[in-house]
Amino acid sequence: MKVKGMTLLEVMVALAIFAITGTAVLKAASEHLRGLSQIEEITFAGWVANNRLTEVELEAKWPPQNNAKGQAEMADQTWYWQQTVTKTGDDDMRKVDVSVSLSENGDNSITSVSRYLVNPGAAK
């Protein structure tokens, strides 16, 4: 009489295949979650930078302050921004760059957003 079933070797090979597959699935899920958190950080940092640029535009101070620094609260985090103003070929236009970071010293900038502003007092 022949006994039908799996040998110990076949069971061990099947378990090894499942273990490798499970590890690959967990790694892929982990990478996906890490990517989502980076996208979330970049999105919030972009909002902080755009909010700051809108504030600069609404201040209507000419020329905008160069090398200004500050912080903003968003999504239960403190975001630190740094503003740089660059002269352009037109005296009534400036390029304003705002970079955003999670560290107070501005290291590891998450994003940077630029906008060109025109002197509100310039003749139209």
Side-chain angles (χ1 to χ4, degrees):
M1 151 162 90
K2 281 191 170 186
V3 177
K4 295 185 179 190
M6 298 178 69
T7 65
L8 180 61
L9 181 61
E10 291 171 332
V11 171
M12 290 177 67
V13 168
L15 285 174
I17 291 171
F18 284 127
I20 291 170
T21 305
T23 303
V25 168
L26 286 175
K27 182 177 180 186
S30 171
E31 291 293 324
H32 178 70
L33 290 175
R34 189 174 314 126
L36 285 177
S37 70
Q38 287 175 340
I39 290 171
E40 184 179 77
E41 265 188 4
I42 292 168
T43 301
F44 287 136
W47 290 347
V48 169
N50 281 312
N51 286 348
R52 176 60 196 156
L53 287 168
T54 301
E55 288 173 1
V56 171
E57 195 170 0
L58 291 174
E59 286 172 357
K61 178 182 171 190
W62 193 258
Q65 182 182 358
N66 193 16
N67 297 324
K69 293 181 179 182
Q71 64 186 45
E73 296 292 324
M74 182 175 285
D76 294 329
Q77 281 188 312
T78 302
W79 302 84
Y80 299 94
W81 54 264
Q82 187 169 8
Q83 169 181 311
T84 307
V85 179
T86 309
K87 287 183 97 174
T88 64
D90 185 346
D91 288 337
D92 288 324
M93 182 178 284
R94 298 288 189 272
K95 178 183 177 193
V96 181
D97 298 303
V98 175
S99 59
V100 179
S101 172
L102 284 171
S103 64
E104 191 169 358
N105 57 9
D107 291 344
N108 301 326
S109 174
I110 296 171
T111 193
S112 182
V113 179
S114 301
R115 188 177 296 174
Y116 288 90
L117 299 179
V118 176
N119 183 352
K124 299 189 183 228

